Amino acid sequence: MNLKEAVRLKPGAIVREAWFTGTKSRKGIVLAKTHVVEKHKAKQLCQDKDERYDVFVHWIDGPRQPHWRGSPRDNPEKCENWELMVVSHAR
């Protein structure tokens, strides 16, 4: 999700993982978001960015699995807006 879409995001919205487009993609509920203004390397984009939104997501099917061996991820998990796509906005 880009910054313009992330501004509209509210708690209660349904999101999914941006890179997985299958019908069984993992879905989560947005709990909160924080606007962060700092120079950083975006996780999924591998580009330098000046701002982002950190979104706290509660994954409905439980925490996501780590990509490599390691401890399981937290649930709720803090994700950058680039890692998510909106399925349904909160009303």
Side-chain angles (χ1 to χ4, degrees):
M1 139 181 28
N2 59 25
L3 288 172
K4 185 177 179 180
E5 191 73 19
V7 169
R8 296 180 50 213
L9 194 65
K10 296 180 183 175
I14 306 294
V15 294
R16 70 171 175 85
E17 296 172 320
W19 60 91
F20 187 72
T21 59
T23 57
K24 294 184 179 184
S25 63
R26 181 175 292 276
K27 293 183 177 66
I29 300 171
V30 173
L31 301 178
K33 72 175 182 178
T34 306
H35 186 229
V36 179
V37 179
E38 69 179 10
K39 193 152 186 84
H40 70 286
K41 178 145 331 239
K43 287 182 187 176
Q44 293 300 317
L45 303 177
C46 296
Q47 296 177 352
D48 291 329
K49 295 290 185 177
D50 295 326
E51 63 179 308
R52 71 175 186 269
Y53 280 90
D54 285 340
V55 182
F56 292 89
V57 178
H58 175 77
W59 297 106
I60 296 170
D61 295 335
R64 296 190 301 163
Q65 299 300 316
H67 293 293
W68 294 278
R69 281 184 264 178
S71 60
R73 297 182 183 189
D74 296 332
N75 197 16
E77 178 181 3
K78 180 175 79 169
C79 302
E80 293 181 2
N81 58 293
W82 321 109
E83 300 178 73
L84 305 169
M85 288 195 69
V86 177
V87 173
S88 173
H89 280 285
R91 297 187 193 263

